[in-house]
Amino acid sequence: MTQTDTSGPENVPPTPSHTVGPFYGYALPFRGGEEIAPLGHPDTVTVHGYVYDGEGSPLPDALLEVWGPDPDGRVPTADGSMRRDPASGGFLGRNGVEFTGFGRIQTDADGHWYVRTLRPGARGRNAPYLSVCVFARGLLVHLFTRIYLPGDDAAAAADPLLSGLDAERRDTLIAGDEGNGTYRFDIRLQGEGETVFLEFQ
């Protein structure tokens, strides 16, 4: 009886060239991360949209961090976006009163995200905006962008960043007004209509 040697390299399945990760959905999201505005605050706005890859497909496992000033343009100093229960070590969530200006949101299975926050006020020469940091599979370095809310054309025209972009690129930073304090802002990582991303030095 003849024995066949199956230990040779031709019988070993190939090793993937790289992994899909990192997987940001583990440990980083926290309960209520999308609810930044204090409960019942009159200046609450909802910003939502999708994160798309270079082929135009939505990303179901992207993670966004959003920061913004209060309606008077002040940067919040309140602690507590990710409060922990000292007894159990679990998350308590926000206290519903203080405005921290920070949120962390994971896209859902359809690549959709939303955040409820306060409409940001202007700071310095800048038109009011929310800062966004995008983490996603395939990105070796996270990306920074801004969400400008429509409604103040004079401030937008004087903004140093917006005024330095051509109209088509500028439009990728301005959310669409859907009425009743709701705005749509899609993030396109590559390809046609790619969102303007910022590099800080």
Side-chain angles (χ1 to χ4, degrees):
M1 184 169 174
T2 306
Q3 291 282 351
T4 304
D5 181 6
T6 59
S7 63
E10 65 278 356
N11 296 313
V12 176
T15 301
S17 60
H18 58 81
T19 59
V20 174
F23 301 101
Y24 295 106
Y26 178 73
L28 288 175
F30 60 96
R31 188 175 72 240
E34 65 281 347
E35 301 288 347
I36 303 173
L39 296 174
H41 197 289
D43 293 320
T44 298
V45 295
T46 300
V47 183
H48 76 104
Y50 292 82
V51 178
Y52 296 105
D53 66 15
E55 295 180 345
S57 300
L59 288 179
D61 52 3
L63 188 79
L64 280 65
E65 291 186 342
V66 177
W67 302 270
D70 68 16
D72 294 323
R74 292 187 301 256
V75 175
T77 58
D79 294 330
S81 288
M82 298 176 280
R83 295 182 312 138
R84 288 191 177 273
D85 181 344
S88 69
F91 288 112
L92 287 174
R94 301 178 195 276
N95 64 17
V97 178
E98 295 178 292
F99 177 64
T100 64
F102 171 78
R104 184 178 287 155
I105 309 102
Q106 186 175 9
T107 56
D108 65 16
D110 297 319
H112 184 258
W113 64 276
Y114 81 91
V115 64
R116 275 193 264 282
T117 188
L118 298 185
R119 185 178 183 95
R123 299 184 65 228
R125 295 171 48 217
N126 296 304
Y129 67 86
L130 298 170
S131 296
V132 181
C133 183
V134 182
F135 303 82
R137 60 181 158 154
L139 292 180
L140 299 179
V141 178
H142 44 278
L143 302 173
F144 295 96
T145 189
R146 292 179 178 176
I147 302 173
Y148 289 88
L149 301 182
D152 191 339
D153 293 340
D159 183 271
L161 174 61
L162 291 179
S163 61
L165 298 170
D166 62 53
E168 185 176 339
R169 300 295 288 143
R170 183 170 54 245
D171 287 347
T172 70
L173 296 177
I174 301 174
D177 190 346
E178 297 186 330
N180 298 317
T182 302
Y183 300 89
R184 171 81 179 261
F185 187 81
D186 294 333
I187 297 172
R188 299 181 186 278
L189 301 181
Q190 287 181 321
E192 187 176 351
E194 177 184 324
T195 301
V196 170
F197 296 106
L198 308 175
E199 181 176 298
F200 295 97
Q201 300 177 346

